[in-house]
Amino acid sequence: YLEEVARRILHRATSQDRIWILKAGEPWSLSSPLAPTAALAHLETISVSHAASHLPTALRRGAEILRGAELPARELVVLSDFQRVSVPGEVELDLPPGTSFLALAPPSEVPPNRALTDLQVGGGLPPLAGERTQVTARVTASEPEEVAGTQVRVLVDGEVRGVGEAGSDGSVSLPLGPFPPGWVSGHLEMDPDALTHDDRIYFAFRVRDPPRVASDGDDLGFLEEALEVLEESGRVVRSQDGSSDLRFLSSGASTPAAGEGPPSVFLAPSDPATLTAFNRLLEEYGVPWELEPEASSASWTVDEARVPVPLEGVQVRSRYRMVSTLDGAASPPMAVLSDQSPWLVGDRDSPTPYLLLASPFTPEGSDVPVRAVLFPFLEWILGPWLGGGTHAVARAGEPLDTPPGADRIVAPDGTDEALDEVGPQVVTGTAGVHRFLVGDSLAGLVAVNPPEEASSLSFLTDTEAEERLGSEVHLLPGSEAWEQAVFRSGAGREPWRLLLLGLALLLLLEGRLASVGNTDRREGDRGIRPG
């Protein structure tokens, strides 16, 4: 429907008019002035964005374009479904005097919708080679009673690997695997409804053999016991010859050999008298942090953690102060305490990847060694942080996590672009699995899914839309009203008008479905733009 309205508007433009088309869901997309025929052609190339639209950003950008264009007549035209999440508050616009500000009124009816959310593989931990796992998700719906019994399928490499039904709470769990070592990608899907972009949810993870683990230093008794349990269950292999995929180090550990080594996890010493030697060890391993004694005898809790492990609320009884030795800003901490001081830091992309914990790995240091969080914490270190794990956490419209060394990215539709052309970070409005390459070799996969809030179809009322857009806006109730409102001075009588289309493309898909009666799933914009 929105696409048809846009087409009818463009047909009224003349060769003297110039048109900018902006997408509210993809503010990073470039826009340039177009003649009407070129704008119509460009409109045909626009497909559904899976990123959440943010109308205020598009409107402010449009107002800036209008202010910079020294033209006699201007029109700001908004075609949007006015989802509440896309217009979170009042929009302050500095429009040039005399600008006509028009908007299609919000829809009066909310279509029913279901969505797949909360996907996890193996509870957030990747399966090892030859090991079966499970993938879980949740079916949500505008009418909650409609989720029970929804059939959900899991597909890998285009083949259905399992089918299940959602329970009364919408949860669904499907078996997956086993797989050989390497990358695995796929998706869950259910039968399409009016809004098809959220009827699929994608995943990607790396399957690996059990990692070889070494440990060296003092105060590692609780860690050694935990590693023995993991070894008995086949989750790790204890290294006896010094070679390893990962090493745990504490005070008293040997100094490194020359050259790069495997990732290292540094655990703070229990005895403050060994702190100088421990800081020297950090320096020798190239860790840009050092520890200082903590004067306070207080206790703390983990306040926030940027890891897929429930560390929040863990009690910390003994810790050191972390101080960065870098001249510039250090990487954000992976976990902070209740006084906002860093407790866990790391860098997987450094020449020698590291993790540093500010507390001893003992019950006197924190609750980690004696609580249920112990094994998920170690599994995260041995899996996702070490290079395996699920990557299906990226949201459309946000920067993707680019693997080190990657020089190309291939979008789900096959679009292949060099990263040196789009920058070290890329952002996309396309849901699906994106492939990062080093030359012709696979460097990693990132699964991108639509933001969950975009599936909650709640629209503003006419009154609310007017309040949030301001008194200058004129809401038009239907497509017929645009015939007299747009270019109202008469075609061709005032040259170089500007037309801005702020397209919230989630409803564009619904309009397309309603108008042509098909379930065409054209996914994403063509190409990937710099973040």
Side-chain angles (χ1 to χ4, degrees):
Y1 176 65
L2 292 180
E3 185 181 33
E4 178 59 29
V5 173
R7 190 177 293 110
R8 294 176 66 175
I9 291 172
L10 293 177
H11 277 302
R12 290 182 56 80
T14 74
S15 59
Q16 294 179 313
D17 295 313
R18 290 298 177 266
I19 300 153
W20 278 257
I21 297 180
L22 303 182
K23 298 175 66 175
E26 298 183 7
W28 62 88
S29 297
L30 301 179
S31 180
S32 57
L34 301 171
T37 54
L40 280 166
H42 180 61
L43 187 64
E44 294 301 319
T45 70
I46 294 178
S47 53
V48 179
S49 173
H50 298 123
S53 65
H54 190 261
L55 202 54
T57 299
L59 291 175
R60 284 191 288 267
R61 183 180 171 196
E64 183 179 354
I65 292 175
L66 295 177
R67 289 195 304 272
E70 297 179 358
L71 302 173
R74 302 170 178 86
E75 289 182 350
L76 176 61
V77 180
V78 181
L79 303 182
S80 171
D81 58 2
F82 286 108
Q83 285 198 59
R84 293 182 185 277
V85 295
S86 69
V87 196
E90 294 184 7
V91 183
E92 295 184 3
L93 294 179
D94 182 15
L95 292 173
T99 300
S100 179
F101 186 10
L102 308 174
L104 184 66
S108 57
E109 296 182 0
V110 179
N113 184 54
R114 295 177 303 169
L116 282 167
T117 64
D118 299 335
L119 181 142
Q120 275 197 330
V121 176
L125 300 173
L128 295 174
E131 180 182 75
R132 290 183 65 82
T133 186
Q134 63 180 6
V135 55
T136 61
R138 185 174 301 278
V139 179
T140 62
S142 51
E143 301 294 337
E145 64 273 9
E146 296 181 0
V147 301
T150 300
Q151 188 180 87
V152 179
R153 300 172 289 276
V154 57
L155 289 83
V156 175
D157 296 330
E159 297 182 1
V160 177
R161 300 293 183 92
V163 180
E165 291 187 352
S168 58
D169 62 349
S171 61
V172 60
S173 178
L174 298 169
L176 198 61
F179 300 103
W183 284 95
V184 176
S185 63
H187 66 269
L188 300 184
E189 68 176 21
M190 58 186 177
D191 292 339
D193 53 17
L195 190 61
T196 61
H197 81 280
D198 55 11
D199 297 332
R200 284 188 177 188
I201 189 167
Y202 295 86
F203 59 83
F205 58 89
R206 184 183 174 192
V207 177
R208 60 181 300 136
D209 292 316
R212 295 171 301 146
V213 177
S215 56
D216 188 12
D218 305 325
D219 299 322
L220 297 181
F222 283 89
L223 173 68
E224 295 286 353
E225 292 179 4
L227 292 178
E228 287 179 8
V229 173
L230 292 175
E231 185 177 32
E232 292 173 358
S233 62
R235 300 293 297 175
V236 302
V237 175
R238 302 297 301 278
S239 174
Q240 304 298 330
D241 59 3
S243 62
S244 63
D245 299 312
L246 180 76
R247 54 195 174 193
F248 290 89
L249 304 173
S250 187
S251 58
S254 58
T255 57
E260 299 180 359
S264 301
V265 181
F266 295 89
L267 305 174
S270 295
D271 185 358
T274 65
L275 189 58
T276 300
F278 184 77
N279 282 332
R280 189 179 307 116
L281 184 72
L282 295 177
E283 182 180 4
E284 290 170 341
Y285 275 89
V287 177
W289 294 85
E290 63 181 18
L291 302 185
E292 295 182 350
E294 170 57 56
S296 172
S297 59
S299 61
W300 307 265
T301 57
V302 178
D303 184 64
E304 182 181 357
R306 298 188 301 110
V307 299
V309 180
L311 290 176
E312 289 87 351
V314 165
Q315 293 291 317
V316 175
R317 301 176 185 86
S318 173
R319 65 93 185 268
Y320 297 93
R321 291 278 178 179
M322 285 186 171
V323 179
S324 173
T325 58
L326 293 175
D327 292 334
S331 300
M334 294 181 172
V336 297
L337 299 179
S338 47
D339 63 354
Q340 298 306 298
S341 60
W343 186 64
L344 177 67
V345 297
D347 186 353
R348 193 169 61 185
D349 299 331
S350 69
T352 302
Y354 70 89
L355 281 175
L356 172 61
L357 188 67
S359 294
F361 206 75
T362 63
E364 292 75 25
S366 74
D367 282 351
V368 171
V370 293
R371 282 183 52 172
V373 74
L374 169 63
F375 288 105
F377 181 57
L378 291 178
E379 288 276 14
W380 167 69
I381 295 174
L382 297 167
W385 189 82
L386 189 56
T390 56
H391 294 262
V393 294
R395 290 161 38 113
E398 296 181 351
L400 303 186
D401 186 10
T402 304
D407 54 23
R408 287 164 49 215
I409 180 172
V410 181
D413 64 359
T415 302
D416 189 334
E417 296 196 46
L419 287 180
D420 58 0
E421 294 179 2
V422 300
Q425 280 194 322
V426 292
V427 62
T428 177
T430 306
V433 176
H434 297 255
R435 294 188 294 137
F436 287 93
L437 304 177
V438 177
D440 293 330
S441 301
L442 181 65
L445 302 177
V446 176
V448 176
N449 289 306
E452 295 178 9
E453 61 267 23
S455 298
S456 178
L457 299 184
S458 176
F459 306 138
L460 298 178
T461 64
D462 289 6
T463 301
E464 290 172 329
E466 290 175 339
E467 290 175 348
R468 298 191 184 189
L469 296 186
S471 59
E472 294 179 303
V473 70
H474 298 283
L475 292 183
L476 302 179
S479 61
E480 295 79 7
W482 293 82
E483 298 293 340
Q484 299 301 320
V486 178
F487 305 128
R488 53 186 175 180
S489 301
R493 294 170 61 184
E494 292 188 20
W496 306 99
R497 297 180 184 85
L498 293 173
L499 172 63
L500 171 71
L501 301 179
L503 297 179
L505 289 174
L506 298 179
L507 192 63
L508 175 57
L509 176 59
E510 297 171 25
R512 199 176 272 143
L513 289 172
S515 62
V516 301
N518 62 43
T519 57
D520 180 17
R521 192 190 297 263
R522 292 194 291 169
E523 298 176 349
D525 196 10
R526 302 185 189 278
I528 301 170
R529 302 296 180 194

